[in-house]
């Protein structure tokens, strides 16, 4: 097959390209190349998707599949205009952030979406609405050839968001002298999918020209069970210091990600469904997730290789956590 990855130098796109080459396909990646190089065997076409003629070098080819990871509507619009007429199968990687509400556990693809934001924007608060606009462009242009994969939280080695690597690394390197780790006392669900499994599934769908709009994420697991898996992988035997969501909010600890946060924790009840969405449609199309312990073992190894003391995009600093553990123990 001739596969065009629109991206291919960052995390998921690079994994898709690498697996496609390993499977014997002829792979081209169109990207600016600012996120890094392409995997060995992939042809890089350097182009800025905002520039006129961005797709000129690839528009004359009959592609068996295009895989697009764009988040800007103009990028999707331009790609479809240049390539849809000569492409057999079109996979667009969307996001579970397209949904208007996150409070319903088990919601499927029929759940209400955000209103589309049709202009390009870098603001985080428009991300989901821009993905809605991108989805609509794809489904309008190639309705019978499109796979729209609404990805949930992606995990695994290379997680530059620092969300899925935080817990195994923290359990392996506690912030306190006695090895205690601060954890949310919450029944919220978690739902992560290894980047390698998502890439393999996207490639398999391209090979089989699979279509549809589907949630692409991993099995649902209670936060406590996820943390216990991370703890086991890291070999942690220290104390757990559980605190409520009210305590965390009162001490200015943010959920999910960002500075001074606890990754994977989400407030209830408003986020009860964010990581408990139905993936039955994706599983029917062949999505398979590896065991969580395998993902976390490999993520921990990658985290250690990057240096445990590096600046992070999510989590508590060791100093912050040690101080919070002391406060939690004093209050108990």
């Amino acid at each position: 097959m001739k596969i065009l990855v629109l991206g291919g130098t960052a995390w998921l796109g690079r994994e898709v390209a690498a697996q496609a080459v390993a499977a014997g396909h002829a792979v081209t990646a169109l990207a600016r190349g600012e996120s890094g190089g392409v995997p060995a065997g992939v042809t890089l076409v350097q182009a800025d998707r905002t520039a006129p003629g961005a797709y000129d070098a690839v528009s004359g080819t009959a592609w068996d599949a295009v895989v697009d990871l764009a988040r800007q509507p103009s990028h999707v619009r331009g790609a479809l205009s240049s390539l849809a007429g000569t492409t057999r199968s079109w996979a667009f990687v969307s996001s579970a952030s397209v949904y208007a509400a996150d409070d319903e556990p088990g919601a499927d693809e029929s759940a209400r979406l955000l209103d589309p934001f049709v202009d390009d924007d870098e603001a985080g608060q428009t991300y989901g609405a821009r993905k809605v606009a991108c989805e609509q462009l794809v489904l309008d242009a190639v309705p019978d050839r499109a796979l729209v994969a609404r990805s949930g939280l992606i995990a695994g080695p290379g997680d530059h968001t620092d969300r899925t690597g935080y817990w195994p690394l923290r359990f392996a390197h506690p912030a306190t002298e006695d090895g205690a780790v601060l954890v949310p006392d919450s029944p919220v669900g978690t739902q992560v999918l290894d980047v390698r499994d998502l890439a393999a599934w996207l490639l398999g769908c391209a090979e089989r020209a699979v279509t549809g709009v589907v949630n692409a994420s991993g099995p649902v697991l209670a936060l406590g069970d996820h943390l216990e898996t991370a703890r086991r992988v890291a070999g942690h035997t220290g104390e757990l210091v559980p605190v409520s969501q009210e305590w965390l909010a009162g001490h200015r600890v943010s959920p999910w990600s960002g500075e001074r946060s606890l990754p994977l924790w989400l407030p209830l009840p408003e986020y009860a469904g964010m990581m408990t969405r139905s993936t039955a449609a994706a599983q029917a199309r062949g999505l398979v997730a590896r065991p969580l312990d395998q993902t976390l073992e490999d993520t921990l190894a990658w985290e250690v290789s990057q240096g445990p003391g590096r600046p992070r995009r999510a989590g508590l600093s060791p100093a912050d956590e040690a101080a919070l553990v002391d406060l939690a123990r004093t209050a108990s």
Side-chain angles (χ1 to χ4, degrees):
M1 290 177 59
K2 290 183 178 180
I3 298 177
L4 175 63
V5 180
L6 299 176
T9 60
W11 189 30
L12 174 58
R14 182 180 174 85
E15 185 65 29
V16 171
Q19 291 195 24
V21 166
H25 301 302
V27 184
T28 298
L30 185 144
R32 289 177 299 178
E34 296 178 356
S35 300
V38 294
V42 175
T43 300
L44 174 63
V45 174
Q46 286 191 279
D48 183 343
R49 296 180 68 177
T50 64
Y55 305 95
D56 287 354
V58 295
S59 61
T61 301
W63 299 103
D64 293 296
V66 165
V67 179
D68 191 3
L69 298 94
R71 61 180 64 191
Q72 302 293 7
S74 74
H75 293 182
V76 174
R77 192 178 297 112
L80 288 164
S81 176
S82 299
L83 304 169
T86 57
T87 299
R88 179 177 67 92
S89 175
W90 196 285
F92 176 68
V93 180
S94 187
S95 168
S97 296
V98 298
Y99 292 110
D102 294 303
D103 58 350
E104 181 186 351
D108 65 14
E109 294 81 1
S110 65
R112 183 169 62 90
L113 304 180
L114 295 166
D115 293 331
F117 190 94
V118 300
D119 297 320
D120 289 0
D121 187 17
E122 293 295 340
Q125 61 265 33
T126 68
Y127 172 73
R130 279 182 280 127
K131 282 289 194 180
V132 173
C134 293
E135 286 188 10
Q136 292 180 353
L137 288 165
V138 171
L139 294 171
D140 286 346
V142 287
D144 299 325
R145 289 176 278 155
L147 173 73
V148 173
R150 292 174 178 163
S151 172
L153 185 60
I154 305 173
D159 181 5
H160 56 280
T161 73
D162 294 331
R163 287 175 291 193
T164 60
Y166 174 82
W167 288 108
L169 184 64
R170 176 60 82 227
F171 285 124
H173 296 274
T176 59
E177 291 185 4
D178 64 357
V181 174
L182 189 80
V183 297
D185 184 10
S186 171
V188 70
T190 66
Q191 190 175 30
V192 305
L193 182 63
D194 194 294
V195 64
R196 296 163 294 186
D197 296 334
L198 178 55
W201 178 71
L202 289 168
L203 178 58
C205 287
E207 291 169 340
R208 295 176 284 119
V210 170
T211 61
V213 178
V214 298
N215 294 326
S217 195
V220 176
L221 192 66
L223 176 60
D225 293 333
H226 184 110
L227 297 185
E228 187 56 39
T229 302
R231 189 182 186 210
R232 184 174 64 251
V233 163
H236 180 259
T237 58
E239 179 188 0
L240 299 182
V241 181
V243 289
S244 69
Q245 66 177 29
E246 292 78 16
W247 191 94
L248 289 166
H251 289 82
R252 303 186 307 281
V253 178
S254 299
W256 191 241
S257 67
E259 186 177 357
R260 197 177 165 82
S261 66
L262 282 181
L264 306 187
W265 164 58
L266 291 163
L268 295 175
E270 60 267 40
Y271 291 103
M274 183 169 173
M275 286 199 289
T276 61
R277 297 193 178 277
S278 170
T279 59
Q283 292 177 50
R285 290 164 172 81
L287 178 62
V288 176
R290 73 189 63 201
L292 179 62
D293 57 355
Q294 293 181 13
T295 295
L296 295 184
E297 285 174 5
D298 293 345
T299 305
L300 176 57
W302 177 80
E303 285 279 2
V304 171
S305 75
Q306 299 302 298
R310 66 184 173 84
R312 302 186 64 85
R313 297 182 180 182
L316 295 171
S317 71
D320 263 350
E321 180 170 359
L324 288 166
V325 166
D326 285 342
L327 288 171
R329 283 171 163 168
T330 301
S332 61

